[in-house]
């Protein structure tokens, strides 16, 4: 037994057996009724986050979930580094098991239902004893393939509720059982029995009618929808995996004067480890030897690489872009900034309520009404003396006609077409829950680095003295910077090469850590770097260059001074350049009714300069990575529905917390997995197209659902009156399905804004 807690404690349970958002709500309600327990159950992640007081054990929580009709288990212990993974087939309650089970059931249903539907709808295929072949093929579909629906319906019935599963189970079971009765006890099993094309309305005793195609077809269609939903749901935890994989896998530790390569998990606080140029820093620590430039943009959003030297702190998973460093580990494992950000993502995902499925909400009312109407129909015909067969025919017809064939197609077909069209346009939609939030969003947070801007340093302008040629500045400065590994130096070298062509090779070169570079190019003694570097050589910037430098720095740009032969010749502006399409993207987002807000970890001067350039009025700057999710929560507390566009690890928690997360496909895996929509291209204009497409797809789903239910409601009175023969029922069902598919196919005509 789990020991009792001495105070408030928290546990996260893995919950199995949920089939819809109402299942999560039911479990949450039961847990919260326990004294001293506060619970949040997330259908998307299949987890229950529970805070419980003294006197409650984890076993008590599990027992409550199981008493509600679902499974629960403690979280898996952390897997040891290098531990072997099992190759056994996962069970349905194991991670990935549900998806595998659904795939098998869907394959079974699809292969067997297709010929059953064909034989029922095409008289030419109705050979002698075709009905018995239909029974043979349909039986595994209605029993094995549809078992999840029957199991969920039984669970719902035990707790006095009804969902889509109840409707599917009751409808398919009624169709199958009636077909069995008609085949074995009625006249449907006789040789030569056919379903002719008769569209006359007339009363029938039902003894010659079978509905196997309805039972098998509905099962196959709805399993397809469930399978694609489960595939997207399985990705809910992938953001955490992507975050943790950002870190270095191995590290070179310096122990007793010797260098040893060990797994990062073996690092201890106080260990000293080596970080070579181009390597990731293994964990949070302090520099004890060397100096370098550290690229932390993926983690912090800061576009300018940070210069570090002895005594400066560094963060795990950031990139050493310059020299050799020796770092002393200060935080390891779950204490690191990366691990804390992973915890923030998990917390945000667990706290994000899944959208209630519209079909389930309608079913909660529709199913009891249908069952009540079927019982009333049975009672009426028995009371009128029409006979048991006629009464049962009418009652079962009510259940069969209510079976949601078109309803099963309503969501998956629209999603299939909408997501397919989105993929063609570079937009990946993760699941049906995403669509609801696109309609409600009114505020959109835009990360700066890599989203509004290119995410890399770019040479912007060159300011020269009156007697200096810009091309000469770029040739000499570019030649020296080309020999440096510093990100800013690379930006100058690439920009110079793009403007003046091939660069000369320096005769001499030296890098001065934290200041810049110096050397000899084409006979000139050249200095390129901070103003302090020139000062050390007693070179002074003239007033015109100093004014240009001050203005550029006020705009948040990095300024590099260039001098040769003892005289300052130019200053070069380098910055994270705004993408050419960003201003147009902001205008399109405003046109959709969204208020754009720039959110960045960069300094305010840089942020306001970028915001002014693209037309954003509200700026939230100098935000630490772990605080971005707090900004989203604050806006949500003000009553706003928040969309977020980002691309870095620092955005992952905010993307997960936002009502709608849009991740740039050019960004990190962590951001992509945490988002609801992925924009494959790095063009921010696609964000506006993604929201438009999502809203259009949601509108199509709602239209489909309306007409699917309208068909059921309109046909129910005819069924209750005993006036439905199988051909009319089949034709009506086919028509409603064709309408739903046709309406969904209209999404193929969606066009990106010009």
């Amino acid at each position: 037994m789990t020991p009792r807690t001495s105070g408030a404690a928290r546990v996260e349970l893995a919950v199995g057996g949920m089939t819809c958002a109402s299942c999560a709500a039911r479990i949450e309600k039961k847990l919260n009724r326990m004294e001293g327990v506060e619970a949040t159950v997330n259908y998307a992640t299949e987890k229950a986050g529970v805070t419980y007081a003294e006197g409650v054990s984890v076993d008590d929580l599990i027992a409550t979930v199981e008493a509600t009709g679902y499974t629960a288990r403690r979280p898996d212990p952390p897997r040891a580094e290098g531990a072997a993974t099992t190759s056994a087939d996962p069970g349905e309650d194991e991670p990935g098991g549900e998806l595998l089970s659904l795939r098998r059931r869907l394959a079974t249903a699809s292969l067997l239902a297709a010929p059953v539907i064909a034989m029922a709808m095409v008289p030419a295929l109705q050979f002698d004893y075709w009905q018995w072949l239909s029974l043979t093929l349909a039986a595994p579909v209605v029993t094995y393939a549809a078992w999840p629906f029957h199991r969920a319906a039984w669970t719902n019935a035990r707790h006095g509720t009804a969902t889509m599963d109840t409707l599917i189970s009751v409808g398919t079971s009624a169709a199958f059982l009636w077909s069995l009765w008609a085949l074995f006890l009625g006249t449907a099993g006789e040789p030569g029995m056919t379903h002719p094309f008769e569209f006359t309305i007339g009363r029938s005793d039902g003894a010659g009618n079978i509905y196997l195609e309805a039972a098998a077809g509905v099962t196959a269609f709805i399993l397809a929808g469930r399978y694609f939903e489960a595939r997207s749901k399985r990705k809910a935890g992938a953001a955490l995996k992507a975050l943790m994989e950002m870190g270095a896998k191995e590290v070179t530790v310096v122990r007793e004067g010797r260098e040893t390569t060990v797994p990062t998990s073996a690092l201890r606080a106080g260990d000293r480890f080596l970080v070579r140029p181009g390597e990731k820093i293994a964990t949070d620590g302090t520099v004890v030897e060397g100096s370098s430039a550290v690229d932390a943009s993926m983690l912090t959003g800061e576009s300018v690489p940070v210069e570090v030297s002895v005594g400066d702190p560094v963060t795990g998973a950031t990139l050493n872009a310059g020299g050799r460093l020796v770092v002393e580990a200060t935080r390891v494992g779950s204490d690191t900034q990366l691990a804390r950000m992973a915890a923030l993502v998990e917390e945000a995902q667990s706290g994000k309520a899944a959208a209630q499925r519209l079909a389930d909400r309608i079913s909660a009312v529709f199913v009891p009404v249908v069952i009540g109407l079927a019982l009333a129909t049975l009672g009426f015909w028995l009371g009128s003396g029409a006979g048991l067969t006629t009464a049962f025919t009418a009652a079962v017809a009510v259940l069969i006609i209510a079976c949601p064939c078109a309803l099963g197609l309503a969501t998956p077909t629209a999603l299939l077409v909408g997501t397919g069209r989105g993929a063609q346009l570079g937009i990946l939609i993760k699941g049906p829950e995403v669509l609801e939030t696109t309609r409600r969003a009114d505020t959109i947070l835009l990360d700066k680095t890599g989203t509004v801007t290119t995410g890399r340093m770019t040479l912007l302008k060159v300011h020269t003295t009156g007697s200096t040629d810009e091309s000469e500045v770029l040739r000499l400065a570019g030649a020296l910077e080309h020999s440096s590994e510093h990100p800013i130096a690379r930006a100058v070298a690439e920009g110079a090469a793009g403007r003046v062509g091939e660069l000369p090779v320096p005769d001499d070169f030296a890098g001065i850590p934290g200041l810049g570079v110096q050397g000899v190019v084409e006979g000139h003694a050249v200095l390129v770097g901070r103003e302090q570097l020139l000062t050390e050589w007693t070179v002074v910037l003239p007033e015109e260059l100093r004014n240009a430098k001050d203005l550029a720095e006020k705009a948040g740009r990095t300024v590099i001074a260039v001098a040769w032969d003892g005289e300052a010749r130019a200053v070069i502006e380098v910055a994270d350049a705004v993408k050419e399409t960003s201003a147009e993207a902001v205008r399109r987002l405003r046109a959709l009714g969204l208020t754009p807000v720039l959110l960045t970890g960069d300094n305010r001067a840089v942020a306001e300069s970028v915001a002014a350039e693209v037309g954003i009025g509200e700026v939230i700057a100098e935000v630490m990575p772990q605080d971005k999710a707090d900004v989203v929560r604050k806006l949500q507390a003000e009553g706003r529905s928040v969309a977020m566009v980002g691309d870095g690890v620092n955005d992952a928690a905010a993307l997960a917390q936002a009502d709608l997360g849009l991740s740039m496909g050019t960004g990190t895996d962590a951001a992509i997995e945490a988002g609801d929509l992925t924009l494959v291209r790095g063009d921010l204009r696609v964000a506006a197209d993604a929201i438009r497409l999502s809203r259009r797809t949601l509108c199509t789903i709602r239209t489909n659902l309306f007409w699917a239910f309208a068909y059921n409601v309109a046909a129910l009175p005819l069924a209750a009156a005993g006036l439905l023969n199988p051909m009319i029922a089949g034709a009506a069902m086919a028509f409603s399905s064709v309408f739903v598919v046709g309406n969904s196919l209209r999404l193929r005509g969606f066009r990106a804004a010009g």
Side-chain angles (χ1 to χ4, degrees):
M1 286 288 292
T2 302
R4 303 275 174 174
T5 58
S6 58
R10 181 173 175 82
V11 68
E12 191 172 73
L13 299 176
V15 180
M18 294 189 292
T19 59
C20 61
S22 59
C23 295
R26 188 177 307 129
I27 298 168
E28 188 173 300
K29 187 177 180 181
K30 287 281 188 181
L31 286 171
N32 284 322
R33 281 180 179 172
M34 298 175 68
E35 188 175 349
V37 172
E38 289 184 14
T40 301
V41 181
N42 192 324
Y43 168 58
T45 59
E46 296 180 325
K47 289 181 180 178
V50 188
T51 303
Y52 56 100
E54 184 178 2
V56 180
S57 73
V58 175
D59 285 336
D60 296 332
L61 301 173
I62 291 174
T64 299
V65 175
E66 290 176 344
T68 312
Y70 304 89
T71 64
R73 57 184 172 83
R74 294 175 180 82
D76 294 326
R79 182 175 291 164
E81 194 75 29
T85 56
T86 178
S87 59
D89 216 15
E92 267 189 70
D93 292 330
E94 296 301 314
E98 179 200 9
L99 194 63
L100 181 61
S101 173
L102 271 174
R103 187 185 301 133
R104 288 172 176 165
R105 295 180 194 276
L106 174 58
T108 301
S110 301
L111 288 172
L112 299 182
V116 173
I117 295 170
M119 285 187 288
M121 294 298 173
V122 182
L125 299 178
Q126 294 171 5
F127 52 86
D128 286 348
Y129 300 111
W130 69 273
Q131 66 271 44
W132 294 102
L133 176 59
S134 291
L135 175 63
T136 304
L137 296 173
V141 179
V142 178
T143 52
Y144 165 71
W147 174 244
F149 306 130
H150 302 319
R151 182 177 58 191
W154 172 244
T155 301
N156 293 331
R158 285 170 51 203
H159 296 91
T161 58
T163 65
M164 266 284 291
D165 292 308
T166 308
L167 187 57
I168 296 161
S169 178
V170 169
T172 54
S173 298
F176 185 71
L177 292 173
W178 182 261
S179 299
L180 284 179
W181 182 88
L183 285 167
F184 285 99
L185 301 176
T187 59
E190 297 176 357
M193 188 279 283
T194 60
H195 279 176
F197 280 103
E198 292 179 0
F199 291 98
T200 56
I201 293 178
R203 197 160 286 139
S204 164
D205 67 2
N209 300 337
I210 61 172
Y211 297 92
L212 294 171
E213 78 284 357
V218 167
T219 300
F221 286 137
I222 296 180
L223 275 173
R226 288 287 168 87
Y227 173 71
F228 290 116
E229 179 184 4
R231 273 184 59 184
S232 64
K233 193 173 67 172
R234 270 280 158 244
K235 294 181 179 179
L240 303 178
K241 183 180 177 184
L243 263 177
M244 298 314 295
E245 288 182 350
M246 285 292 300
K249 304 297 183 293
E250 292 184 332
V251 59
T252 303
V253 180
V254 182
R255 289 175 179 163
E256 298 177 358
R258 295 191 325 185
E259 296 179 1
T260 309
T261 301
V262 299
T264 303
S265 59
L267 266 181
R268 299 187 298 269
D271 278 345
R272 294 192 173 192
F273 59 92
L274 179 65
V275 189
R276 300 179 182 86
E279 291 183 345
K280 287 181 180 177
I281 296 172
T283 192
D284 298 357
T286 304
V287 177
V288 291
E289 288 182 30
S291 61
S292 181
V294 174
D295 182 358
S297 59
M298 303 253 281
L299 194 63
T300 66
E302 181 70 42
S303 56
V304 180
V306 180
E307 301 285 349
V308 296
S309 57
V310 175
D312 290 332
V314 289
T315 305
T318 54
L319 185 69
N320 179 14
R324 178 183 183 275
L325 295 174
V326 177
V327 178
E328 182 175 309
T330 55
R331 290 195 294 260
V332 296
S334 60
D335 292 332
T336 64
Q337 183 173 345
L338 183 65
R340 289 202 301 271
M341 289 178 66
L344 283 172
V345 173
E346 185 164 15
E347 181 185 339
Q349 284 185 335
S350 298
K352 185 181 355 181
Q356 277 279 35
R357 296 285 302 278
L358 180 61
D360 277 316
R361 294 205 299 270
I362 299 174
S363 296
V365 177
F366 186 66
V367 174
V369 168
V370 167
I371 294 173
L373 182 59
L375 292 173
T377 301
L378 178 66
F380 171 79
W381 286 111
L382 285 174
S384 66
L388 186 63
T389 302
T390 301
F392 267 95
T393 299
V396 172
V398 169
L399 294 176
I400 291 171
I401 204 67
C403 200
C405 187
L407 192 60
L409 288 169
T411 299
T413 53
L415 271 179
L416 187 65
V417 179
T419 54
R421 181 59 184 145
Q424 292 175 336
L425 299 173
I427 302 161
L428 305 181
I429 303 172
K430 286 196 175 175
E433 291 87 356
V434 173
L435 306 176
E436 186 74 28
T437 51
T438 61
R439 182 178 61 87
R440 295 195 303 264
D442 53 36
T443 301
I444 186 161
L445 292 174
L446 304 175
D447 170 57
K448 181 186 76 68
T449 306
T451 302
V452 176
T453 65
T454 61
R456 62 180 185 276
M457 303 303 287
T458 305
L459 190 155
L460 298 181
K461 291 182 182 178
V462 180
H463 303 274
T464 64
T465 56
S467 59
T468 306
D469 179 58
E470 181 178 317
S471 297
E472 188 176 13
V473 171
L474 291 174
R475 275 176 53 78
L476 299 180
L480 269 191
E481 296 284 52
H482 186 68
S483 301
S484 172
E485 294 180 340
H486 196 288
I488 292 177
R490 286 200 297 269
V492 173
E494 289 172 6
R499 296 189 191 188
V500 301
E502 188 175 352
L503 301 173
V505 178
D507 299 318
D508 185 33
F509 170 84
I512 295 81
L515 292 179
V517 293
Q518 64 187 45
V520 178
V521 183
E522 295 181 338
H524 299 287
V526 183
L527 300 171
V528 183
R530 295 184 177 182
E531 185 180 358
Q532 186 181 343
L533 177 63
L534 273 64
T535 303
E536 289 187 1
W537 288 84
T538 64
V539 176
V540 179
L541 283 179
E543 186 176 356
E544 58 184 310
L545 294 184
R546 179 169 297 282
N547 290 339
K549 174 178 176 292
D550 292 342
L551 286 173
E553 288 179 339
K554 283 181 182 177
R557 293 171 179 172
T558 300
V559 179
I560 300 156
V562 182
W564 64 81
D565 298 340
E567 184 180 341
R569 310 282 181 156
V571 291
I572 299 173
E573 293 183 27
V574 176
D576 182 7
V578 173
K579 293 178 182 176
E580 294 178 0
T581 57
S582 292
E584 174 63 23
V586 169
R587 285 194 292 273
R588 292 185 186 180
L589 292 169
R590 286 188 187 279
L592 290 170
L594 297 164
T595 302
V597 179
L598 191 67
L599 176 66
T600 180
D602 230 334
N603 69 67
R604 179 159 291 277
V606 173
E608 289 180 346
S609 171
V610 170
E613 190 170 343
V614 299
I616 297 176
E618 189 174 346
V619 176
I620 303 174
E622 300 174 7
V623 180
M624 295 297 292
Q626 59 268 30
D627 296 332
K628 285 194 172 185
D630 291 334
V631 171
V632 175
R633 278 190 280 269
K634 181 181 176 184
L635 292 172
Q636 289 169 332
E638 294 172 1
R640 300 202 208 184
S641 181
V642 181
M644 165 84 185
V645 187
D647 75 324
V649 176
N650 62 308
D651 303 318
L655 286 167
Q657 177 63 40
D659 297 295
L660 177 68
L662 296 94
S663 52
M664 305 294 275
T666 51
T668 64
D669 290 344
I672 291 169
E673 295 295 352
D676 301 307
L677 294 167
T678 299
L679 315 178
V680 176
R681 304 199 308 274
D683 188 342
L684 188 58
R685 291 178 299 183
V686 181
D689 291 331
I691 292 173
R692 284 177 50 239
L693 176 60
S694 296
R695 288 178 177 178
R696 181 83 62 84
T697 306
L698 176 64
C699 180
T700 301
I701 289 174
R702 287 173 174 271
T703 305
N704 287 350
L705 289 172
F706 171 79
W707 284 109
F709 272 113
Y711 148 74
N712 288 122
V713 171
L716 280 173
L718 289 175
L723 296 176
L724 277 183
N725 66 49
M727 206 58 235
I728 291 180
M733 192 175 288
F735 173 77
S736 64
S737 299
V738 168
F739 173 84
V740 162
V741 172
N743 191 44
S744 298
L745 287 173
R746 293 171 59 226
L747 287 167
R748 292 170 62 183
F750 179 86
R751 294 283 181 271

